Amino acid sequence: MKYKKNTLEAVDLLKRLIAVPSPSRDEKGAADVVELFLNEKGYNTHRLGNNVWIFSDGFDENRRTILLDAHLDTVKPVSGWTHDPFTPELTEDGQLFGLGSNDDGGSLVALMQVFFIKNEDANRDFNLIFLASAEEEVSGKNGIEAVLPELPHIDFCVAGEPTGMQPAIAEKGLMVIDGIAHGKAGHAARNEGVNAIYIALKDIDWIQQHRYERQTDLLGPVKQTVTVINAGTQHNVVPDECRFTIDVRSNECYSNKELFDEIDRNTESELKARSFRLNSSRLAADHPFVVGAKELGLTPFGSPTLSNQALMNFPSVKMGPGDSARSHTADEFIYINEIDDAIDIYCKLIK
């Protein structure tokens, strides 16, 4: 191990976090564990709800500030676990099993150790903030979105997520739209009424067939998918209403509002976006972090999944130990050497 002492301390904390259930919006136990640990390390912690953060020593607002963010919350355990999801289990080959070990505990404990290492660097000429954030899995408003107004200006953020330590320099946004097609009820046996399902089908066909002109090399085209549909009360009544839901994954060429307006112009149904707040993001290819990552042999890529980056209005990268394919699955795990490697790579890039 390159950072044996730091890695062992990180793994010990990760075990403690696995043992405390922390589903989204109910992360208090995990936040308490992190806060107590940081206090025992001698840091003055700040807390808002279930979000906990610390500042580097000698914080100077005239310097650049880097935010290190990883989330505390997990999804609820799925069926199929053969291990107890809340009992950390370390195998001889270095696999640590437990809910949240991969998403996002590995990133959280690795970034925390990087904060400790860099904070003690006498040559550090920038500020650091470490944040253990809440509600990431549900893009909740009591997570990082609530914390950012409490922080000073941020110049750059590393958002820890399981990417195999490859830098995701672009990320698709998300917009959920609820649609209602309005018809007129009638008896199915007679030629009366206006079938709301048929109106919805025309709109859904447009949603399925439409292709947006602008796309990028990293994120590709905008993707929109109807994922829920519901209509009708009984077989002999022409339905006067059909409800459906659209999942829209935006690229950085369009804001969510632009996409909504285009969908709304081309459909008959009544549409309402749940929010426009989760937009796409992209880090410039010539950003020093990206350049440094390439020099280390890492491969920048575009991510189709959402993270706290969607709520940031400053440059950021998504990057962390583990594999996103293990997230939200039974028998989730992370390798101890992935955490050690992450600490090493983070330290080389954060400078």
Side-chain angles (χ1 to χ4, degrees), residues 23 37 76 110 122 131 154 158 173-174:
F37 179 81
K76 294 180 180 179
L131 169 63
I154 305 296
V158 178
L174 168 66

Side-chain angles (χ1 to χ4, degrees), residues 12 15 57 83 99 117 122 127 149 166 171 189 194 223 257 262 294 304-305 309:
D12 181 66
K15 289 179 179 178
D57 296 340
H83 304 260
L99 182 63
I117 294 166
N127 304 309
Q166 301 299 327
E171 178 183 88
V194 177
K223 189 174 188 299
K257 182 62 167 61
E262 183 160 351
K294 290 180 178 178
T305 57
Q309 280 186 292

Side-chain angles (χ1 to χ4, degrees), residues 111-130:
L111 283 172
M112 183 186 292
Q113 291 297 322
V114 172
F115 178 95
F116 297 157
I117 294 166
K118 291 296 183 180
N119 187 51
E120 296 175 358
D121 184 354
N123 296 318
R124 173 175 54 83
D125 61 353
F126 54 88
N127 304 309
L128 280 172
I129 302 173
F130 170 77

Side-chain angles (χ1 to χ4, degrees), residues 17 27-36 47 49-52 72:
L17 288 170
E27 310 94 342
K28 182 180 183 302
D32 290 344
V33 168
V34 168
E35 185 173 33
L36 177 61
R47 183 161 176 171
N50 295 328
N51 304 278
V52 180
L72 286 165

Side-chain angles (χ1 to χ4, degrees), residues 64 66 155-157 169 282-294 314-317 349:
R64 293 166 297 167
I66 299 174
D155 294 280
F156 183 68
C157 175
I169 63 171
R282 181 164 182 169
L283 186 62
D286 60 353
H287 189 280
F289 192 97
V290 181
V291 174
K294 290 180 178 178
F314 40 80
S316 61
V317 66
L349 289 173

Side-chain angles (χ1 to χ4, degrees), residues 17 26 80 88 97 130 154 212 214 281 289 312:
L17 288 170
D26 191 17
F97 288 90
F130 170 77
I154 305 296
Y212 294 91
R214 303 195 297 274
S281 63
F289 192 97
M312 299 175 187

